Amino acid sequence: MNRLQALNICMTYQNLNHHVQVLDNASLDIDEGKSIGIIGPSGCGKTTFLHILAGLETPSSGSIIFNDANLLTKDDNEFTRIRSQLFGFAYQFHYLLEDLTIYENCSIVFQISKSTNKTNHETIISTLDELGILNIKDSYPYMLSGGERQRAAIARAIVNRPSFLLMDEPTGNLDVDNASIIQELTLNLSKKFNMGILVATHDMSYANKLDEVYKIEHGTLKFQKNG
Ligand SMILES: Nc1ncnc2c1ncn2[C@@H]1O[C@H](COP(=O)(O)OP(=O)(O)OP(=O)(O)O)[C@@H](O)[C@H]1O
Ligand SMILES: [Mg+2]
């Protein structure tokens, strides 16, 4: 079973003339297929933690272990390759490329990873279908509603079937109905593809549906509840 661990992550930012310690020995274990929520007040370090796990930022100290291998000791190319296979990342403001259609936004994932697999086209189509947005595959992001954009961002994040989907406030700018659609879709996808989900959220109705919830307090992750 695939297992991702963050061990004793510390992160200090240097701001003008003072240090800010955001994370202080934050540790977390995520097993394949598990859904985990990270909550806590604005500025407590949720986004920072997700970025470190995905390798988008380097911690001051600590390890990111995937099945016994410490990802932080790999060289940059090796880490980038492993990261692109392991993680899908969906941001709150969904950074879809505005000049590309939804289909093209998904296919660029395969171009970046230089995958020329013949089934890529079918995978994109079935993923868009799974998320209920196949009808807008040829639309550009500006033509979509907020909920559709968020679903498109999730489709792009999972089109290469990552082991872990990391999401930062995926329901943060959606109304209650669309937020609930995203909650259900992501939980179903987790089950269907046995994909671990790690989600930073202020949305407690979402957090309450996840397998485990942790709160960041004084830079560490405190266990809150089992689902
Ligand atoms: N690149 C950076 N340089 C300096 N300080 C930073 C940087 N990124 C984040 N911080 C600081 O680290 C702290 C944690 O930020 P982070 O974005 O992780 O919080 P968050 O829990 O995601 O908050 P929110 O709920 O508002 O999204 C904040 O005080 C922020 O100002
Ligand atoms: Mg944040």
Side-chain angles (χ1 to χ4, degrees), residues 46-47 168-169:
K46 301 182 295 299
T47 297
D168 196 2
E169 291 289 351

Side-chain angles (χ1 to χ4, degrees), residues 81-141:
R81 191 185 58 75
I82 296 175
R83 197 177 80 195
S84 68
Q85 289 169 0
L86 271 188
F87 302 119
F89 206 111
Y91 296 87
Q92 180 181 1
F93 298 108
H94 37 68
Y95 305 113
L96 292 165
L97 297 169
E98 293 291 330
D99 294 338
L100 300 182
T101 64
I102 299 312
Y103 181 91
E104 291 164 343
N105 262 282
C106 291
S107 70
I108 203 166
V109 172
F110 294 119
Q111 286 162 33
I112 290 168
S113 63
K114 299 194 175 63
S115 162
T116 52
N117 201 319
K118 285 205 185 67
T119 59
N120 288 349
H121 170 74
E122 282 80 43
T123 307
I124 295 173
I125 296 295
S126 69
T127 305
L128 293 175
D129 197 21
E130 187 85 38
L131 284 153
I133 49 170
L134 185 55
N135 59 322
I136 51 165
K137 72 178 173 42
D138 297 320
S139 300
Y140 289 88

Side-chain angles (χ1 to χ4, degrees), residues 17-88:
N17 51 5
H18 67 287
H19 295 291
V20 182
Q21 178 151 26
V22 179
L23 297 174
D24 181 12
N25 284 304
S27 297
L28 182 67
D29 240 306
I30 317 169
D31 288 334
E32 197 177 79
K34 271 273 168 76
S35 59
I36 295 184
I38 305 214
I39 60 171
S42 183
C44 71
K46 301 182 295 299
T47 297
T48 303
F49 186 71
L50 283 187
H51 282 179
I52 289 172
L53 262 181
L56 302 173
E57 288 187 68
T58 307
S60 316
S61 62
S63 324
I64 306 292
I65 316 276
F66 177 67
N67 296 346
D68 297 334
N70 186 353
L71 300 185
L72 295 178
T73 59
K74 305 281 180 204
D75 73 36
D76 283 353
N77 286 339
E78 175 77 350
F79 192 4
T80 303
R81 191 185 58 75
I82 296 175
R83 197 177 80 195
S84 68
Q85 289 169 0
L86 271 188
F87 302 119

